[in-house]
Amino acid sequence: MRAVLFSELGNEIADRGWVRFPAYEPEDRRRLLDVAYRLSAHWGQQVFVEAEDRCRMRLYLAGYGTQPASPNSH
């Protein structure tokens, strides 16, 4: 399952910079976090993850979502 998500979600993120995917259960969220970590390592740039609501997660590259403020951005 993770390999399929890696490929499918990776292609979508590469095409438009972000993807939204359902995550109904804790295991779904863990799986998406793992895919984001693997994509980050594969591409050499961070893939961010955020929960949009209780049932959806968004994976995205910098510039396509909200990242936490860096400590030096004051």
Side-chain angles (χ1 to χ4, degrees):
M1 179 65 156
R2 282 180 169 83
V4 171
L5 289 173
F6 179 86
S7 176
E8 296 296 320
L9 299 181
N11 287 337
E12 189 74 25
I13 294 167
D15 287 346
R16 67 177 177 181
W18 65 275
V19 67
R20 177 180 294 128
F21 201 78
Y24 300 107
E25 301 293 328
E27 179 57 30
D28 298 332
R29 291 184 277 284
R30 282 190 291 273
R31 190 177 296 122
L32 291 174
L33 287 169
D34 181 60
V35 167
Y37 176 78
R38 291 177 54 210
L39 286 169
S40 295
H42 181 71
W43 289 337
Q45 64 177 316
Q46 187 171 358
V47 175
F48 297 92
V49 181
E50 67 182 24
E52 288 195 321
D53 58 32
R54 291 176 44 173
C55 298
R56 289 183 301 190
M57 306 241 346
R58 180 178 167 100
L59 285 70
Y60 60 92
L61 299 173
Y64 292 92
T66 57
Q67 297 93 31
S70 70
N72 299 325
S73 66
H74 293 89

